[in-house]
Amino acid sequence: MKPDHPLLKILACPLDKGPLILDEAGGALYNPRLRRRYPIIDGIPRLLPSSGEPAVGREHDAPPAAGPDSGGS
């Protein structure tokens, strides 16, 4: 699955119904809100709640850094 695949716009996490992020390196779809990943096997995303696994030790686990456009003065 490629980052510009049209399905990515409509696929949602089975638990919180929010959008998912493609993790091409890990071959999975990632939910940063719940920190869960859903595998993509043979090009088919496995979006069953039981298919999700905790994503630990990933760069996605860190809170987003405040950038220069994050408000302030």
Side-chain angles (χ1 to χ4, degrees):
M1 186 173 280
K2 299 290 182 194
D4 60 346
H5 198 287
L7 276 181
L8 287 177
K9 294 179 183 177
I10 61 172
L11 290 177
C13 175
L15 298 175
D16 73 357
K17 310 301 186 241
L20 297 166
I21 299 169
L22 178 63
D23 177 8
E24 286 184 278
L29 293 170
Y30 177 67
N31 179 338
R33 297 165 306 284
L34 300 178
R35 295 183 177 152
R36 293 188 66 80
R37 60 188 300 276
Y38 298 92
I40 300 173
I41 301 170
D42 294 328
I44 301 169
R46 305 295 187 213
L47 293 175
L48 296 172
S50 61
S51 296
E53 52 193 38
V56 292
R58 299 169 53 86
E59 68 275 2
H60 298 296
D61 288 341
D69 296 334
S70 64
S73 50

